[in-house]
Amino acid sequence: ETGVTQSPTHLIKTRGQQVTLRCSSQSGHNTVSWYQQALGQGPQFIFQYYREEENGRGNFPPRFSGLQFPNYSSELNVNALELDDSALYLCASSLDRGYTDTQYFGPGTRLTVL
Amino acid sequence: GNSVTQMEGPVTLSEEAFLTINCTYTATGYPSLFWYVQYPGEGLQLLLKATKADDKGSNKGFEATYRKETTSFHLEKGSVQVSDSAVYFCALINNAGNMLTFGGGTRLMVKP
């Protein structure tokens, strides 16, 4: 069984640019959540997608947007990058969207904004 | 809103020492509670979980008990190994099931 995968592993962008991060969920999982982890801190919830619809959003501005595809893979898009967007971006998939459904994390994408 | 507070690190122990990492939470309703571990350069791995009061989660020698009366979920291990060196995160999930709220993480360093 393949776990959660993310691409790319590392990314360097300059302020003002746009970036797309990708996530493939674990087989059989229909729910994907995205988190931002700044250096030395715990992850912060960005949003969750369930069966291609947004199912909750954290305290992030609209320039953070996402998509989920029919195969349940997902993208995170960030427009107008700022220096503070530099972080590890984690994707997690779960079997369903219930609170007892464990979220399984991918290895993350390290984004550096210069 | 929901919040998780865990003891600040780093925690430095000798191999075979007893480990406790404290975690307390504030939440509405009846959240599920988790411990995740993050090894250097990697994502988060689920260590254990508990979904209701008095449940004990356990895995790889680690244990934590969901204490509703003290709103706590302390992580314990009787004998740590060098390979346990990592950052440990306590987390809860809200009743909507969509948002994990994490503590700030506790770095554990185990010396031979």
Side-chain angles (χ1 to χ4, degrees):
Chain A
E1 183 178 287
T2 306
V4 179
T5 59
Q6 293 185 242
S7 62
T9 306
H10 296 89
L11 205 50
I12 299 175
K13 291 286 188 178
T14 56
R15 197 168 44 182
Q17 285 188 311
Q18 178 266 342
V19 68
T20 297
L21 310 182
R22 294 178 175 83
C23 170
S24 291
S25 57
Q26 195 166 317
S27 176
H29 288 190
N30 61 25
T31 303
V32 172
S33 306
W34 286 91
Y35 294 82
Q36 180 196 65
Q37 186 180 18
L39 200 61
Q41 298 182 22
Q44 299 289 317
F45 176 73
I46 303 174
F47 42 57
Q48 183 183 81
Y49 279 84
Y50 168 72
R51 295 184 180 273
E52 304 178 59
E53 298 288 330
E54 189 178 286
N55 182 50
R57 186 180 183 92
N59 190 26
F60 280 82
R63 59 189 185 85
F64 286 78
S65 63
L67 280 174
Q68 188 180 29
F69 301 100
N71 67 354
Y72 303 133
S73 65
S74 177
E75 286 183 354
L76 164 65
N77 298 290
V78 187
N79 293 324
L81 283 168
E82 301 177 359
L83 298 179
D84 284 349
D85 295 334
S86 295
L88 181 68
Y89 287 85
L90 295 164
C91 165
S93 75
S94 51
L95 196 60
D96 211 320
R97 59 179 174 173
Y99 74 99
T100 59
D101 290 297
T102 300
Q103 295 188 15
Y104 295 93
F105 284 80
T109 294
R110 173 75 61 188
L111 173 64
T112 302
V113 181
L114 303 176
Chain B
N2 297 337
S3 67
V4 176
T5 302
Q6 56 183 110
M7 61 190 290
E8 290 191 18
V11 174
T12 303
L13 296 173
S14 298
E15 207 164 22
E16 300 184 3
F18 184 85
L19 168 71
T20 300
I21 300 178
N22 290 337
C23 171
T24 58
Y25 68 89
T26 302
T28 55
Y30 302 94
S32 292
L33 302 175
F34 303 83
W35 278 100
Y36 282 87
V37 58
Q38 188 172 37
Y39 296 100
E42 298 184 11
L44 300 176
Q45 296 179 24
L46 176 69
L47 184 58
L48 54 85
K49 72 175 188 179
T51 59
K52 60 183 189 296
D54 299 325
D55 266 3
K56 177 185 283 188
S58 62
N59 186 29
K60 300 180 182 179
F62 291 90
E63 293 182 342
T65 301
Y66 188 163
R67 300 286 188 201
K68 191 171 188 302
E69 64 276 12
T70 55
T71 62
S72 64
F73 193 54
H74 304 320
L75 182 68
E76 296 182 337
K77 186 176 185 184
S79 176
V80 294
Q81 306 300 313
V82 172
S83 58
D84 294 327
S85 298
V87 181
Y88 292 80
F89 291 94
C90 184
L92 66 82
I93 197 161
N94 58 358
N95 286 355
N98 57 11
M99 182 173 76
L100 276 166
T101 300
F102 287 88
T106 302
R107 180 174 299 278
L108 170 65
M109 298 170 56
V110 180
K111 298 186 174 181

